């Protein structure tokens, strides 16, 4: 899949593109329906299917106090979109200047820079542009003028309610990874780069990989059985989310630490994706590091007896 930052970077052979537009956080069942419609349109009209999304959640710029944690990292989102058969991803830099465009300016700019739009597919309640000035009705009016078809697809329902990123966040926070996975259409996971920590796990005899997860949705603090993937290889794992209350720290911060079973090697700088399994226990404070070490050994044995939701 080709990733571009401006529509005019694409020169489609047939001169036509079919667009799916959205934030697509989580690339859940509703998003998949939109993207599949776009891929089908492209096949039918000999066009290039393009997903149009943004380098950050729009609220990061227009409403930072209402910025939700992201379900997926950028790399997870890209992989999920590519798996749906998309040729090209237009990842627009969402900054203050871009946020000032009206919905009409945004679509006319896409039409100008892509050359010829065959169709645009969005969710039925999708709004866009400065002060949310664009919606499906605007798209249909512009489609009639500029010659493209518009699909405003109704949300996919599960248990009688629409699948949404908000519902997925609620399920994850509540520890219902099965339900989150049903809405995502794949097992719930987090992913991040392995960064350097303070080597405490190494000192205790259980080396851990610290994941960079700033801005990402995290489940409740605690210890979980898990499966981890690094460079295409799968490992059983124990995952800890929390502030490590047993360790004296001036400014405790939530960390995500993963101990891979049956692994030796250097993971720094590599991406790790972790699928959550059963929660083994809540976060707790121990009287000493020796007590913590003993508990970690028990956690590892417990993780071997449960399977994560794969």
């Amino acid at each position: 899949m080709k990733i571009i930052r401006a529509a005019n970077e694409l020169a489609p052979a047939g001169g036509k593109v079919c667009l799916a537009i959205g934030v697509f956080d989580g690339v859940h069942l509703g998003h998949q329906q939109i993207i599949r419609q776009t891929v089908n349109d492209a096949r039918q009209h000999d066009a290039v299917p393009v997903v149009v999304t943004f380098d950050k959640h729009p609220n990061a710029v227009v409403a930072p106090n209402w910025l939700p944690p992201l379900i997926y990292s950028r790399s997870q989102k890209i992989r999920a979109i590519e798996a749906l058969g998309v040729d090209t991803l237009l990842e627009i830099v969402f900054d203050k200047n871009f946020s000032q465009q009206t919905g009409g300016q945004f679509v006319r700019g896409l039409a100008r820079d892509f050359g010829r739009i065959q169709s645009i597919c969005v969710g039925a309640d999708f709004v866009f542009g400065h002060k949310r000035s664009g919606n499906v009705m605007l798209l249909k009016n512009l489609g009639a003028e500029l010659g493209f078809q518009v699909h405003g697809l109704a949300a996919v329902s599960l248990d009688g309610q629409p699948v949404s990123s908000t519902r997925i966040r609620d399920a994850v926070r509540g520890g219902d990874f099965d339900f989150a996975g049903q809405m995502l259409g794949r097992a719930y996971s987090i992913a991040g780069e392995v960064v350097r920590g303070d080597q405490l796990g190494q000192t205790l005899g259980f080396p851990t990989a610290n994941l960079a997860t700033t801005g990402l949705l995290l489940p409740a603090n605690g210890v979980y059985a898990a499966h981890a993937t690094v460079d295409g290889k799968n490992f059983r794992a124990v995952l800890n989310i929390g502030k490590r209350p047993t360790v004296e720290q001036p400014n405790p911060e939530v960390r995500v630490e993963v101990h891979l079973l049956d692994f030796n090697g250097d993971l720094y700088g590599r991406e790790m994706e972790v699928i959550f399994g059963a929660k083994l226990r809540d976060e707790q404070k121990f009287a000493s590091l020796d007590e913590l070490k003993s508990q970690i050994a028990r956690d590892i044995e417990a993780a071997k007896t449960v399977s994560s939701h794969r």
Side-chain angles (χ1 to χ4, degrees), residues 240-259:
N240 180 75
I241 301 174
K243 296 185 177 182
R244 305 189 307 170
T246 307
V247 183
E248 291 292 332
Q249 310 169 73
N251 298 299
E253 294 180 342
V254 173
R255 297 192 186 202
V256 177
E257 301 170 304
V258 187
H259 172 73

Side-chain angles (χ1 to χ4, degrees), residues 77-109:
K77 177 174 166 177
I78 288 171
R79 284 194 294 271
I81 290 172
E82 185 173 24
L84 294 168
V86 175
D87 287 47
T88 304
L89 179 74
L90 169 56
E91 188 179 46
I92 295 170
V93 176
F94 198 104
D95 55 18
K96 195 73 176 174
N97 187 50
F98 178 79
S99 74
Q100 299 300 313
Q101 286 190 37
T102 66
Q105 288 171 328
F106 170 56
V107 175
R108 289 181 188 279

